[in-house]
Amino acid sequence: MTTVIGTDRAEIRHELAATTYDLLVIGGGILGTSVTWMAAQAGLRVAMVDAGDFAGATSSASSKLVHGGLRYLQTGNVKLVAENHRERRALAADIAPHLVKPLTFLVPIYKGGPHGAAKLGAGVFLYSALSVFGDGVGKVITPHQALAKVPALRTEGLRAAAVYGDHQMNDSRVAVMTVRAAVDAGATVLNHAEVVGLRKTSGSVTGAELRDRLDGTEFGVSARLVLNATGPWVDHLRRMEDPDAAPSIRLSKGAHLVLRRHEPWKAALTTPIDKYRVSFAIPWEDHLLLGTTDEAYEGDPGAVRATDADIAQILDEAGHAVRDSQVRREDITYAFAGLRVLPGGPGQVTAAKRETVLTRGTGGMLSVAGGKWTTYRHIGKYVLDILAHLPGRPLGDDLADILPAVPLPGLASPDAVAMRLWTDRDPGTRMDPLVARHLAGHYGSIAFDLSRLIREDPALGERIHPDGPDIWAQAVFARDHEWAATVDDVVRRRTTLTVRGLDTPEVRARIAGLLS
């Protein structure tokens, strides 16, 4: 199979070095990817580079939720919740229904807990009203009804449970699909390309010097405007522009755990820990996702990980509402942590506003940090609007209007795709229904491209590990069409092998062979 134009690294490096771009985006997380996609849609020549993989750091260490933010009601931020709901509904209905799935949430109400039934009942009703009752009406149910949805729920002292609707997704897959959408719209992208210096012309930043971290090749990119969207590393790049730049952000660490699930869950849990913090227990990828923590982090962003203390805290907090048999340390398949980028300033990180931080440096580089998956398109448009109206208009005067709802690649009903994948072959060679459902929910109609690979080489239809639904066609497709260049790119972000605890040394070795 030939490599699709757009994933050949030498070719991409040549293109990056030979072109002068309107916009160079440094950082391929939520923010960088979204701005790149929007800028390409607006008709700009845009390039995006990342020192690691796309969404390789914090952007793939989220709670996997596309949500209105129930806890923002607690702080009275009704407008933000309504905005979040609008974006959530757009993603679930028009942009990515193949990747964003509806999920029911329960808030268990215990005797002596931080919130009473009347207050939570009113809260979930208001929450559902702000989403125009698109997910039904928020209400309070009995302990018996709650137990039918989540059999692992602790019943001691359980008075009732509040119910509301939100959505979830696999953040790594949404990121890869967004990068693909940006490239489809005309962007040039490269991962594992580290900025080692900034290009300057008469004191203005006009590009970057880069090093390919996979083979050491050095090259440069020229651009009329450079956007620093490097998340936790944003100040590191600002100091490259101006060694005296004052810190603009602070970091808060959020850790999560993935555990094997012993019984089906029909809903997720949002458990109040105190007046402001909640703990999530979410059915995700046939497992259980628990989290999260929220504490100040001062270390190297590249070294962030879930510590023993984080694991103990998450299991303990989940145990407020989940029976001990479901929150055992030996059931953990994966633990991960990411860094929230918060505005600099005094006070506790838990109380800091979750907002986008924008600064413009002495050399004209714009730095932006913050953002979350639910509103990532909205933030991309907001940042592009700021870039378009900078003094001196570095991007020129004419940007095309962005269409209101450009879908992510693969837009389709996952049920319809799964049905076709399953029935498309002779009865004796049919795809396993679990594999068909897995591909449909992670690729949408692009799953048919994987099905074609299997027709050409039936061995690619085999599972990578017998205990999971990922198949070898995904690894080949990741290499040839999704910029996967390292084993981690494949096992952690293009497939679900790592989160399921299935990236064994044998699996990693076989994938390394495939990539080389």
Side-chain angles (χ1 to χ4, degrees):
M1 194 174 120
T2 55
T3 299
V4 69
I5 294 299
T7 61
D8 182 299
R9 295 185 69 80
E11 217 167 273
I12 298 168
R13 286 195 306 253
H14 176 76
E15 193 179 326
L16 286 168
T19 311
T20 298
Y21 290 90
D22 297 314
L23 177 65
L24 168 63
V25 177
I26 301 170
I30 294 174
L31 243 166
T33 304
S34 178
V35 174
T36 302
W37 184 28
M38 296 304 157
Q41 286 182 53
L44 293 173
R45 265 178 316 212
V46 56
M48 177 179 79
V49 294
D50 193 291
D53 188 20
F54 304 125
T58 293
S59 298
S60 57
S62 75
S63 297
K64 325 295 179 193
L65 294 180
V66 178
H67 62 137
L70 182 65
R71 68 187 188 84
Y72 300 133
L73 288 182
Q74 176 81 355
T75 52
N77 207 333
V78 174
K79 184 168 167 281
L80 178 66
V81 174
E83 248 173 42
N84 287 352
H85 272 316
R86 217 170 26 249
E87 271 300 296
R88 175 175 74 88
R89 284 201 315 277
L91 282 169
D94 306 318
I95 313 296
H98 51 314
L99 304 172
V100 174
K101 327 265 191 305
L103 184 62
T104 302
F105 281 77
L106 303 185
V107 188
I109 301 158
Y110 288 100
K111 188 179 175 187
H115 308 294
K119 180 183 173 185
L120 275 170
V124 293
F125 180 80
L126 171 60
Y127 190 72
S128 58
L130 290 170
S131 84
V132 206
F133 301 113
D135 301 278
V137 179
K139 59 181 185 287
V140 174
I141 60 173
T142 66
H144 182 69
Q145 290 169 311
L147 211 58
K149 291 185 186 295
V150 182
L153 192 59
R154 247 184 210 288
T155 50
E156 306 85 11
L158 182 65
R159 290 257 171 98
V163 186
Y164 66 96
D166 257 330
H167 284 79
Q168 74 175 158
M169 46 104 185
N170 182 314
D171 47 15
S172 302
R173 292 300 317 162
V174 173
V176 169
M177 290 296 197
T178 307
V179 174
R180 193 170 162 144
V183 171
D184 287 349
T188 305
V189 303
L190 189 64
N191 52 0
H192 304 290
E194 181 181 12
V195 171
V196 291
L198 293 174
R199 288 189 166 180
K200 290 190 176 174
T201 311
S202 324
S204 292
V205 176
T206 53
E209 304 299 338
L210 293 124
R211 185 171 60 83
D212 188 321
R213 286 173 108 172
L214 300 181
D215 66 6
T217 305
E218 302 205 339
F219 62 104
V221 183
S222 294
R224 286 156 60 182
L225 186 64
V226 175
L227 178 70
N228 166 16
T230 53
W233 292 270
V234 69
D235 284 340
H236 167 74
L237 211 66
R238 287 176 63 245
R239 285 191 293 274
M240 264 191 202
E241 177 188 30
D242 171 13
D244 300 324
S248 65
I249 57 156
R250 55 202 175 125
L251 302 174
S252 155
K253 180 169 91 166
H256 292 82
L257 304 178
V258 183
L259 285 81
R260 279 181 214 91
R261 215 169 61 203
H262 299 297
E263 51 203 346
W265 285 43
K266 292 181 186 152
L269 295 179
T270 303
T271 307
I273 298 301
D274 55 36
K275 241 178 153 165
Y276 293 99
R277 281 195 62 242
V278 298
S279 160
F280 289 119
I282 302 167
W284 181 72
E285 298 293 4
D286 312 317
H287 283 59
L288 192 64
L289 179 73
L290 302 180
T292 176
T293 59
D294 194 350
E295 58 172 6
Y297 183 84
E298 312 258 322
D300 169 11
V304 67
R305 61 186 182 84
T307 61
D308 267 352
D310 295 328
I311 292 169
Q313 180 189 338
I314 292 168
L315 289 176
D316 175 58
E317 291 180 348
H320 288 210
V322 184
R323 286 206 314 272
D324 292 345
S325 59
Q326 180 61 78
V327 285
R328 298 182 312 194
R329 214 173 244 263
E330 58 264 37
D331 282 327
I332 296 171
T333 55
Y334 186 47
F336 61 94
L339 295 169
R340 301 175 192 91
V341 180
L342 306 171
Q348 294 285 318
V349 287
T350 44
K353 278 204 164 124
R354 306 296 199 250
E355 58 188 28
T356 313
V357 185
L358 270 154
T359 51
R360 196 169 190 200
T362 50
M365 179 171 75
L366 200 83
S367 295
V368 60
K372 60 179 192 174
W373 277 115
T374 303
T375 51
Y376 88 116
R377 287 185 329 132
H378 176 75
I379 292 167
K381 287 177 185 166
Y382 164 72
V383 171
L384 183 63
D385 192 53
I386 286 169
L387 296 178
H389 295 99
L390 287 173
R393 293 286 171 106
L395 295 180
D397 291 324
D398 287 333
L399 267 68
D401 287 336
I402 293 168
L403 296 172
V406 174
L408 288 181
L411 178 79
S413 151
D415 289 344
V417 172
M419 179 78 83
R420 258 222 22 223
L421 287 172
W422 187 66
T423 55
D424 249 9
R425 321 254 293 280
D426 299 328
T429 60
R430 277 193 176 166
M431 187 180 282
D432 180 325
L434 284 176
V435 172
R437 186 167 291 282
H438 173 72
L439 296 181
H442 290 75
Y443 297 85
S445 62
I446 292 170
F448 299 131
D449 294 344
L450 279 84
S451 179
R452 274 191 287 280
L453 289 176
I454 298 166
R455 269 205 299 279
E456 290 163 19
D457 179 359
L460 295 180
E462 287 169 20
R463 295 182 187 221
I464 297 175
H465 189 289
D467 295 343
D470 293 294
I471 57 172
W472 284 105
Q474 290 173 258
V476 169
F477 192 80
R479 176 194 68 192
D480 294 344
H481 298 272
E482 294 184 338
W483 306 277
T486 71
V487 173
D488 262 353
D489 294 352
V490 176
V491 296
R492 216 189 118 206
R493 288 175 291 273
R494 306 299 185 279
T495 65
T496 61
L497 290 160
T498 297
V499 297
R500 296 172 191 271
L502 304 177
D503 55 342
T504 62
E506 299 79 31
V507 162
R508 295 181 75 94
R510 275 192 70 183
I511 288 172
L514 197 72
L515 293 173
S516 62

